[in-house]
Amino acid sequence: MAWIYLIIAGIFEVVWSTCMKLSDGFHNILFAFLTVVGVILNFAGLIIATKHLPISIVYPVWTGIGAVGSVLVGIFLFRENLNLWTIFFVALLIISILGIKLTAK
């Protein structure tokens, strides 16, 4: 169950960072509010996950989900272009996250 909370926390990492961008410097009240809600839910999931899993596992997986998710949002929502090297390194991040998950005790 802790892994589910960790994945949810990682998803909310992407949610709040996306909403922060969409808030236009916190001028758009709806997205500013959603940013704050996303941060709260993000850290709530992270706190629960760290109660049951080692921080040496939780933190890299959490940041990795946030990083990869933010790259995907950038590509698909904001139409950002990535070069081949960036895509290669994002793929390495995904492999690393999966590796951490598969080798965690």
Side-chain angles (χ1 to χ4, degrees), residues 13-29:
E13 176 91 355
V14 178
V15 168
W16 77 255
S17 62
T18 303
C19 289
M20 183 175 60
K21 169 120 174 111
L22 293 170
S23 76
D24 190 31
F26 280 75
H27 288 97
N28 183 317
I29 300 300

Side-chain angles (χ1 to χ4, degrees), residues 16-93:
W16 77 255
S17 62
T18 303
C19 289
M20 183 175 60
K21 169 120 174 111
L22 293 170
S23 76
D24 190 31
F26 280 75
H27 288 97
N28 183 317
I29 300 300
L30 173 63
F31 285 111
F33 173 75
L34 291 174
T35 300
V36 173
V37 170
V39 168
I40 291 168
L41 294 173
N42 169 36
F43 279 100
L46 185 65
I47 289 166
I48 293 168
T50 57
K51 288 175 68 175
H52 304 286
L53 296 169
I55 192 70
S56 60
I57 302 299
V58 170
Y59 189 74
V61 171
W62 174 68
T63 57
I65 293 170
V68 171
S70 294
V71 168
L72 293 174
V73 166
I75 292 169
F76 293 110
L77 183 63
F78 300 115
R79 305 282 185 228
E80 297 172 358
N81 293 319
L82 301 180
N83 64 41
L84 190 58
W85 281 111
T86 305
I87 293 168
F88 170 75
F89 287 115
V90 170
L92 284 180
L93 270 172

